[in-house]
Amino acid sequence: MGGGERRESGADEVGGRRPVGDRLRQQAARVLPLWAKANGADLISADGRTAQLDDPKVVEALEWTVSIYDDQGGFSAVKAYRDSADFFGSGNQFATGVLGAMPMEQWYVNVLADVSADAPMAFDTVRDRDGNTLAYASGSAWAIPAGSDNPAAACRWARVMTSTDPGRPQLMRGWPRAPRRASPSPDC
C-alpha cells in the first residue's frame, strides 16, 4: 500500500491489490444509502416506517462496498492510509495525485478551493445504473423536542449557532455561517 506515490490508471498491483490511491475512497456506513439508491433501492420505505436492509439490491450494494475495502487490504489498511492523509491541508489526496475519486458532501469543495486552488479536479454527481443523477447532500439539523425542559434556551442556542451577525460571541468566530431563515416557531 502506497506511501503517497502517484499511480496511474492500470498501474501494477501492490501485493496483489490495487493501491489505495487508485481506488474509490469511501466510508461504508456514510455512503451505503447512496450506493443502495444508485442500485435502485431505498434503505427505508417511502412512509419511513419500514427498514429495507434485506432488499437484495441493498445487500448487493453492501457487498460491493465491502469488496472495495477487501481489494485494498481490508478496512484497517484503508483506514490507516486515510488517517495518514492531509485531508484538510494543501497536501490533500487530490493535490498530491494519490486519489482518483471519492463521493463527498458539497462542503468539501470549499476546503479544496481554499487549500488546493491549483489542483486539477472535476466534479460530477453520482449516477444510478441507468445514468440518472442522484442528489447527495448532508448536514446537520436541530430540533427542539416537545416537552423540553428549556425550549427558550435551546432556541437562543440555535440562533447563536446560525447567526450571520458579525458580533456573535467570540466562541463562534470562524465557524461556517448559515443564512438566516424564518423561524418555524414563534417562540424561536
Side-chain angles (χ1 to χ4, degrees):
M1 195 139 344
E5 68 270 29
R6 183 181 181 131
R7 298 199 183 266
E8 299 298 325
S9 179
D12 293 335
E13 292 190 359
V14 176
R17 297 183 213 40
R18 297 286 309 208
V20 172
D22 272 354
R23 299 300 298 216
L24 181 66
R25 178 190 183 272
Q26 63 177 338
Q27 296 173 3
R30 185 173 60 82
V31 296
L32 178 60
L34 180 64
W35 295 153
K37 187 69 171 176
N39 202 32
D42 291 310
L43 298 183
I44 299 175
S45 63
D47 65 6
R49 295 177 179 259
T50 307
Q52 302 178 145
L53 297 175
D54 58 350
D55 181 310
K57 291 181 178 181
V58 174
V59 173
E60 181 182 29
L62 179 59
E63 289 172 345
W64 180 77
T65 302
V66 170
S67 77
I68 291 174
Y69 284 104
D70 290 346
D71 288 350
Q72 298 175 88
F75 178 79
S76 295
V78 172
K79 176 99 169 81
Y81 182 81
R82 187 174 65 221
D83 290 349
S84 72
D86 184 15
F87 192 73
F88 292 102
S90 60
N92 67 72
Q93 304 99 308
F94 286 105
T96 57
V98 297
L99 182 64
M102 88 174 165
M104 192 62 189
E105 296 88 353
Q106 68 284 0
W107 61 265
Y108 192 58
V109 175
N110 290 331
V111 170
L112 296 173
D114 185 44
V115 299
S116 304
D118 297 328
M121 288 181 250
F123 301 92
D124 196 3
T125 59
V126 173
R127 298 176 188 276
D128 67 14
R129 289 181 171 226
D130 295 325
N132 300 310
T133 61
L134 297 173
Y136 181 59
S138 71
S140 299
W142 298 311
I144 302 167
S148 296
D149 289 342
N150 194 342
C155 286
R156 283 192 307 275
W157 178 82
R159 275 197 307 272
V160 168
M161 292 297 288
T162 59
S163 173
T164 58
D165 179 0
R168 66 188 175 163
Q170 181 65 33
L171 172 66
M172 304 311 300
R173 292 202 195 284
W175 286 35
R177 295 176 187 223
R180 188 172 296 273
R181 294 184 178 90
S183 178
S185 165
D187 297 329
C188 287

